[in-house]
Amino acid sequence: MSDLLERLRTELPAEALITDPDVTASYAHDMASFCAAGTPAVVVLPRTVEQVQHVMRTATALRVPVVPQGARTGLSGAANASDGCIVLSLVKMDRILEISPVDRIAVVEPGVVNAVLSRAVNEHGLYYPPDPSSWETCTIGGNIGTASGGLCCVKYGVTAEYVLGLDVVLADGRLLTTGRRTAKGVAGYDLTRLLVGSEGSLGIIVKAVLALKPQPPQQLVLAAEFPSAATACDAVCRIMERGHTPSLLELMDRTTVRAVNELASMGLPETTEALLLCAFDTPAPAADLAAVGALCTAAGATEVVPADDPAESELLLQARRMSLTALEAVTSATMIDDVCVPRSQLGAMLEGTAAIAEEYGLTIGVCSHAGDGNTHPVVCFDHTDPDESRRARESFDAIMALGLELGGTITGEHGVGVLKKEWLARELGETGIALQRSIKAAFDPLGLLNPGKLF
């Protein structure tokens, strides 16, 4: 420990090092439940690429593991510390280095908060689409590390589709530049795409070149009430089958709607079994909403209400964004799942989740990026009750098994981390895991980067 700190101090200012155990403990984990976290030896908050390189050279020389972190809003344990590690928090590297309206790119450091970047590019008439629910606090580096998504993915895609290039500090301190600033480029293997979603296991992202789009018109939102999750999912299928491209298509089940009302008195209709939110940011959104409203009615919607203006639309979106927070307030603890299935199987996924909730005697609310088939079942439980905690974990596993049975994947945007290691092996199979481990070894032969995550 003394040798580690002595070496780190040679090229790091005192304020970049945190050793107080009471403070370092607050950096030990992200927001996931049931994920073990160790005790870090030190927390480092670098401000420059050179400081990150020094940390990695020191770690390699002393064989000390390094756990990179952003804002720790993750839900898989991917940012959890291991015993004796260096926690490398990138939140102080928070500069927007460039915004180019001509090239339609932004160049940023990893600690830039998603919402800060979004507002900055808006001033140039541009748009950065990825918008996780935690966008007011989560960082771009964390978004890239977990390949996060958000409400707009149904039209605009996920984070991976906006990362053109990266600067990455490797385990031995070398600086790797991947990708490009150009609109097109196919030179060599796509290391940029490989690094997106790697959860800090291959290198430390210190700069990102991000693609931007022209800022679209303000969107209008439609809310449709349904008597069952099955009819709401039928409406989703009809909307996508007819070729509509909404800017978002979100579903909240009865449990979620009631939790949001309880938390914030939003006035959402508690008589509904499923609430579908559909938005368009086209030049004539009202016409698009009318067409979708007719499809919802045909699928069995009991009420269809289009918003009159952007302010009303934003109020509905605030309700959706607070879904996870509201469900967290239902009981003392939650497990937030992230299972993505083909859209055609969305109804089966929600019905199956409801059956699992009944089987295990638990409250499980579901909010979903319905247009993507990406569901977020939230298992609510009393963490002080051992039996209820056991049932929560078993129900979580049952939900993931259901997702795989329906042709889906164990995670659409939250990542694997610690929480889903076992399930990653089931999804990828023996050959897939062996190949991924060999890639990890090529980047990090000593296994120092975020050990114990993914596999």
Side-chain angles (χ1 to χ4, degrees):
M1 175 69 169
S2 59
D3 191 17
L4 171 63
L5 293 177
E6 184 178 339
R7 293 199 187 198
L8 289 174
R9 286 177 179 134
T10 61
E11 295 186 32
L12 290 172
E15 63 268 19
L17 296 171
I18 301 175
T19 57
D20 183 336
D22 292 333
V23 180
T24 59
S26 67
Y27 287 83
H29 56 83
D30 62 16
M31 297 179 67
S33 300
F34 291 108
C35 293
T39 302
V42 59
V43 174
V44 181
L45 294 99
R47 290 184 179 272
T48 69
V49 174
E50 292 75 18
Q51 289 175 357
V52 175
Q53 289 181 287
H54 173 62
V55 170
M56 293 313 306
R57 292 187 186 111
T58 300
T60 294
L62 299 179
R63 304 299 195 263
V64 177
V66 176
V67 176
Q69 289 183 349
R72 304 192 307 282
T73 57
L75 295 164
S76 69
N80 285 11
S82 55
D83 285 333
C85 76
I86 299 170
V87 163
L88 187 59
S89 174
L90 284 305
V91 294
K92 298 295 186 182
M93 296 180 68
D94 60 356
R95 294 179 300 163
I96 298 174
L97 302 173
E98 178 185 354
I99 297 173
S100 172
V102 174
D103 294 326
R104 292 183 182 172
I105 62 169
V107 182
V108 304
E109 292 183 328
V112 172
V113 171
N114 185 295
V116 171
L117 174 63
S118 295
R119 294 181 182 120
V121 302
N122 287 167
E123 294 177 3
H124 297 266
L126 298 169
Y127 177 44
Y128 180 67
D131 62 341
S133 294
S134 58
W135 77 306
E136 291 282 5
T137 52
C138 65
T139 62
I140 295 299
N143 294 169
I144 294 171
T146 57
S148 59
L151 306 188
C152 69
C153 296
V154 61
K155 179 174 182 177
Y156 293 103
V158 295
T159 295
E161 296 169 58
Y162 294 88
V163 183
L164 298 178
L166 295 169
D167 278 7
V168 179
V169 175
L170 299 176
D172 59 7
R174 289 178 296 164
L175 183 64
L176 169 69
T177 297
T178 75
R180 62 194 192 279
R181 292 171 55 98
T182 55
K184 296 189 294 185
V186 292
Y189 294 132
D190 192 348
L191 296 181
T192 303
R193 194 69 178 239
L194 175 64
L195 287 157
V196 176
S198 64
E199 302 184 17
S201 65
L202 302 179
I204 310 296
I205 295 168
V206 291
K207 186 171 75 175
V209 181
L210 304 174
L212 305 174
K213 289 185 175 294
Q215 187 171 6
Q218 283 191 295
Q219 62 186 358
L220 287 182
V221 177
L222 170 149
E225 297 180 51
F226 289 87
S228 68
T231 53
C233 292
D234 180 35
V236 171
C237 292
R238 293 177 188 230
I239 292 166
M240 302 308 293
E241 184 180 26
R242 295 295 179 87
H244 293 287
T245 309
S247 53
L248 67 85
L249 190 55
E250 298 288 308
L251 185 149
M252 301 161 64
D253 74 350
R254 175 182 59 184
T255 301
T256 305
V257 168
R258 291 179 178 176
V260 170
N261 278 342
E262 183 70 22
L263 180 69
S265 301
M266 295 292 290
L268 298 176
E270 294 198 6
T271 55
T272 186
E273 291 295 316
L275 183 67
L276 190 66
L277 303 179
C278 181
F280 285 90
D281 58 5
T282 53
D288 291 312
L289 290 182
V292 164
L295 293 175
C296 289
T297 299
T302 55
E303 189 167 4
V304 176
V305 182
D308 292 328
D309 54 45
E312 187 179 353
S313 296
E314 184 55 34
L315 188 63
L316 288 169
L317 295 186
Q318 285 178 13
R320 169 59 185 89
R321 287 187 185 278
M322 69 172 57
S323 293
L324 297 182
T325 302
L327 287 167
E328 287 171 352
V330 171
T331 51
S332 64
T334 56
M335 289 190 73
I336 302 173
D337 216 326
D338 168 37
V339 177
C340 192
V341 297
R343 294 187 193 99
S344 58
Q345 298 297 324
L346 184 60
M349 184 68 203
L350 267 66
E351 288 181 344
T353 300
I356 290 168
E358 184 174 353
E359 177 184 353
Y360 288 93
L362 295 167
T363 297
I364 301 179
V366 181
C367 51
S368 172
H369 307 308
D372 305 321
N374 195 172
T375 66
H376 295 306
V378 181
V379 182
C380 305
F381 65 99
D382 181 357
H383 76 282
T384 66
D385 183 332
D387 181 66
E388 195 162 311
S389 296
R390 174 190 59 79
R391 285 184 281 124
R393 181 68 214 215
E394 290 178 0
S395 71
F396 182 89
D397 289 340
I399 290 169
M400 282 191 285
L402 173 64
L404 291 181
E405 289 170 10
L406 295 174
T409 176
I410 61 167
T411 177
E413 56 188 3
H414 290 173
V416 175
V418 176
L419 192 60
K420 298 187 175 182
K421 287 169 60 175
E422 175 190 349
W423 287 96
L424 180 66
R426 295 192 193 189
E427 179 171 336
L428 297 185
E430 185 177 334
T431 301
I433 286 291
L435 186 58
Q436 297 221 0
R437 284 175 173 156
S438 68
I439 294 171
K440 162 75 169 170
F443 277 81
D444 179 23
L446 298 176
L448 299 179
L449 286 169
N450 217 7
K453 313 299 166 51
L454 292 169
F455 37 74

